[in-house]
Amino acid sequence: MSDYVLCYVAEGSGEITVNAKKHVLEAGKLIMLTPAMHVDELVFHAGPVHIYRLQYARTGALGAVTSTGRDEEVALHTEQPHPAEQWTGAEVFPVSSAVSFAAKLEELFRLGQEAEEDCVSYLRAQALFCDLLATACEEQKARQQGGDTSVAATIDYMKKHFREALDLGALPKLAGLTPSSYCRAFKRAVGMTPGEYLTQLRMDEAKAMLCESSSANRVKDVARSVGFSDELYFSRLFKKREGLSPQIYMKQAGQRVAVASKLFLQDHFLAIGIQPIAAPSFPNYFSTRTGFPIYLQQRLRGTKALNAEQSITPQDILSLSPDVIVQIDTGAEKEQRQWAKLGEAVIFNGYLKWYEYQLQLATVFNKESQAERVIHHVDKVEKQAKDALLPVTRKGHWTIVRVLEDEVRLYGTEGHALTDLFYYKLGFQPDPRVTHASYKPDALLTLLELDPERIILFWSEKEHVERLWHNPLWRSLRAVREKQVYYPETRDWDPWGPLGREYMIHNCMSYFLKAIPSI
């Protein structure tokens, strides 16, 4: 190595040998290399691989961040001392906030492509680079100091060995904790007991295998592959968790479902065990390679991305030979006619609540029991988050605002999935003077009249927010003057589906409970 290199494995598995020492690679792991280290061997297992490589120099020299499968390179500079100079070997360890870390790498790649011609993008790329490097060093330092990382080490161990006859009783010793302390720390880290987590790992792998090929994967073979020696016990446990036997699940998973709606119904399908063969994407909005949000990127591996920023037509889908095409009635008569005449099309009306979509889809695909479990799980996550957020939500009143290029939207207290989650499920107190439904467009003057105590900005681009910050009317607001405007990264926050809703809740908790300063 001639430069410093940070690699993040987003997908795939394998081994890397550095200075004669072998390390296991898998999704979610970070590799930190310093100059003069020698990579002896890099081997990947069968299947797709996606790795981010962030290459940089300590003083003045150009570096490059690349992503496998792309030709572009992004130049970076750093003149700060590197905290890893004392390391004698490669550092390979899991990142605790893997989804957030990958999202930042995608954003860095996007900014870097613009950096040569745009000074603002260059500076933002530099700031994001420093943030990523600081996160990596914090993770590495935490591992050296122990603490919660001892539990993380056992989680990593379970991910590697769940297919084997794993002895859960040995995990506390591996973590250096008493059994009772370990169980408490484990449940605090992942929200379930070690036994429940092991079962989830095995069941997730089993469902993936059952979906891949009904002819190649017999139930007995799948059970043994994921760590169950007793096929009958595996089948009983699978039916208890999923609501149907492995044989029926395998048969239903073989349905070729395409989502033609611009709504992210793929979220609902994935939650009940159906991976669509095609689904809408927004490549100019989301920073991922596919245009899917970051929390669906890996789950939708193999799903064709349909550019929903343009009109999705039957021709985009029919070549895939779908069994079912799912569409939402948009009210556009001409558009609906082209779908209605297709025998494979199933057209739904629009609904106000996320779980109404979930229940309707489940009814059509005979997945009612799975949908009920999904709804119950999300309800549990919402209640736990509400309790955890009490130190934040019990103080003051909140107003939700979205800043667009040419308007400021003021969200109401009902009639929208965002406000339902933020106010009623998570417990943030709305400004009592805000009583309208959905949102009001062009609402800057209304905001001036309200002069709210606290403002949270959702789905607002940085350039639009920065432009608004120069407006003297905006700067006159009490929340702005008292630095009570909160601006989390909400691009991938989606309250309309179960997976997006859970992702949004965890990120919302992380943002507020870490007491990130307001802007």
Side-chain angles (χ1 to χ4, degrees):
M1 308 302 300
S2 58
D3 293 315
Y4 293 95
V5 174
L6 181 154
C7 291
Y8 176 75
V9 183
E11 183 178 4
S13 62
E15 295 88 28
I16 185 172
T17 304
V18 182
N19 291 357
K21 183 178 180 181
K22 181 178 290 187
H23 303 270
V24 175
L25 301 181
E26 60 185 4
K29 278 197 172 181
L30 192 65
I31 311 146
M32 300 191 75
L33 304 168
T34 60
M37 287 184 182
H38 188 270
V39 178
D40 305 308
E41 188 177 32
L42 183 60
V43 178
F44 292 103
H45 300 151
V49 174
H50 182 205
I51 290 185
Y52 296 91
R53 177 175 60 86
L54 179 59
Q55 181 178 331
Y56 54 99
R58 175 181 167 185
T59 55
L62 291 179
V65 57
T66 62
S67 179
T68 55
R70 304 185 184 185
D71 296 327
E72 301 92 342
E73 291 193 344
V74 178
L76 296 171
H77 297 269
T78 173
E79 297 187 3
Q80 299 300 320
H82 199 290
E85 288 184 328
Q86 61 198 26
W87 302 343
T88 57
E91 295 284 323
V92 180
F93 51 89
V95 177
S96 58
S97 53
V99 172
S100 174
F101 199 82
K104 289 179 180 178
L105 282 166
E106 282 281 355
E107 177 67 8
L108 177 58
F109 185 85
R110 185 187 68 80
L111 288 170
Q113 291 177 299
E114 304 171 357
E116 290 186 5
E117 299 178 358
D118 182 6
C119 178
V120 174
S121 295
Y122 172 81
L123 293 172
R124 285 178 177 163
Q126 292 292 327
L128 189 53
F129 161 68
C130 291
D131 181 39
L132 282 164
L133 188 58
T135 298
C137 292
E138 286 173 356
E139 296 268 3
Q140 191 272 342
K141 183 178 179 181
R143 285 175 62 80
Q144 290 180 340
Q145 294 176 345
D148 286 342
T149 55
S150 59
V151 172
T154 65
I155 293 173
D156 191 34
Y157 180 83
M158 292 172 76
K159 288 179 179 179
K160 296 177 188 174
H161 300 283
F162 71 87
R163 298 176 182 84
E164 306 166 12
L166 199 151
D167 181 11
L168 292 176
L171 296 179
K173 185 176 180 180
L174 180 63
L177 300 170
T178 64
S180 58
S181 296
Y182 173 74
C183 286
R184 286 194 299 269
F186 192 98
K187 192 164 186 178
R188 184 172 61 248
V190 299
M192 61 186 79
T193 66
E196 291 170 339
Y197 183 71
L198 176 61
T199 299
Q200 178 175 295
L201 287 174
R202 288 173 168 173
M203 287 300 170
D204 287 346
E205 179 69 9
K207 287 191 290 183
M209 292 183 68
L210 291 169
C211 288
E212 284 175 3
S213 172
S214 58
S215 60
N217 296 319
R218 296 184 303 161
V219 172
K220 183 177 182 179
D221 296 332
V222 170
R224 290 180 175 177
S225 295
V226 299
F228 292 96
S229 58
D230 187 337
E231 177 190 355
L232 185 59
Y233 173 71
F234 165 73
S235 295
R236 286 201 302 264
L237 183 61
F238 190 97
K239 186 172 183 178
K240 182 179 179 180
R241 289 175 61 90
E242 301 301 323
L244 69 170
S245 69
Q247 291 86 349
I248 296 176
Y249 182 90
M250 184 164 44
K251 182 178 179 181
Q252 290 188 358
Q255 277 193 307
R256 295 176 61 81
V257 178
V259 180
S261 165
K262 291 191 176 184
L263 295 180
F264 267 64
L265 296 178
Q266 56 261 50
D267 186 323
H268 301 80
F269 277 115
L270 289 168
I272 56 175
I274 298 175
Q275 180 172 350
I277 59 173
S281 69
F282 292 83
N284 290 319
Y285 181 76
F286 294 114
S287 58
T288 58
R289 294 172 295 114
T290 57
F292 295 134
I294 189 68
Y295 61 91
L296 295 181
Q297 170 82 352
Q298 298 302 318
R299 292 174 180 263
L300 290 173
R301 186 179 65 194
T303 296
K304 179 180 179 180
L306 303 172
N307 188 347
E309 295 166 353
Q310 304 170 1
S311 177
I312 300 175
T313 68
Q315 290 70 32
D316 297 327
I317 297 173
L318 291 177
S319 61
L320 301 173
S321 302
D323 297 318
V324 180
I325 300 173
V326 176
Q327 176 61 279
I328 297 293
D329 188 351
T330 61
E333 186 176 344
K334 181 178 179 181
E335 179 181 343
Q336 294 309 126
R337 279 203 305 267
Q338 69 174 345
W339 295 105
K341 64 184 180 182
L342 295 176
E344 305 92 340
V346 176
I347 301 176
F348 291 94
N349 294 320
Y351 304 101
L352 289 177
K353 306 291 186 180
W354 74 268
Y355 56 81
E356 293 177 313
Y357 287 102
Q358 192 70 72
L359 290 172
Q360 289 299 318
L361 289 171
T363 300
V364 172
F365 292 91
N366 299 318
K367 296 275 190 175
E368 291 91 343
S369 57
Q370 292 95 316
E372 289 175 4
R373 277 191 294 276
V374 169
I375 294 169
H376 175 73
H377 171 72
V378 173
D379 181 63
K380 181 180 178 181
V381 171
E382 290 172 346
K383 289 177 179 176
Q384 291 174 340
K386 185 174 184 178
D387 292 340
L389 285 166
L390 274 174
V392 177
T393 59
R394 63 162 56 109
K395 300 176 182 178
H397 295 94
W398 297 79
T399 302
I400 299 175
V401 169
R402 182 180 184 182
V403 182
L404 298 171
E405 183 177 9
D406 55 356
E407 69 169 305
V408 175
R409 291 181 179 177
L410 173 62
Y411 281 77
T413 56
E414 60 183 12
H416 197 284
L418 170 62
T419 53
D420 169 71
L421 176 60
F422 194 72
Y423 290 139
Y424 299 105
K425 299 298 184 180
L426 298 183
F428 287 84
Q429 300 177 59
D431 189 312
R433 296 166 297 170
V434 176
T435 58
H436 62 275
S438 191
Y439 63 82
K440 284 185 178 180
D442 298 319
L444 181 56
L445 294 180
T446 304
L447 273 174
L448 290 172
E449 294 175 4
L450 290 172
D451 201 17
E453 181 181 359
R454 286 176 174 82
I455 294 174
I456 180 168
L457 302 179
F458 272 91
W459 304 317
S460 304
E461 300 292 340
K462 290 181 179 179
E463 58 266 30
H464 302 156
V465 173
E466 290 170 355
R467 188 181 305 121
L468 181 64
W469 228 258
H470 293 292
N471 188 326
L473 296 177
W474 174 261
R475 294 202 304 271
S476 70
L477 291 171
R478 174 176 54 161
V480 179
R481 297 195 313 271
E482 296 178 359
K483 297 184 178 180
Q484 292 297 320
V485 179
Y486 295 83
Y487 185 27
E489 175 51 65
T490 58
R491 180 180 292 266
D492 289 273
W493 289 18
D494 183 359
W496 283 276
L499 303 179
R501 202 171 177 90
E502 187 170 358
Y503 175 81
M504 175 178 171
I505 290 170
H506 287 313
N507 280 271
C508 187
M509 289 175 60
S510 176
Y511 176 81
F512 283 105
L513 295 181
K514 286 183 179 178
I516 295 179
S518 59
I519 58 174

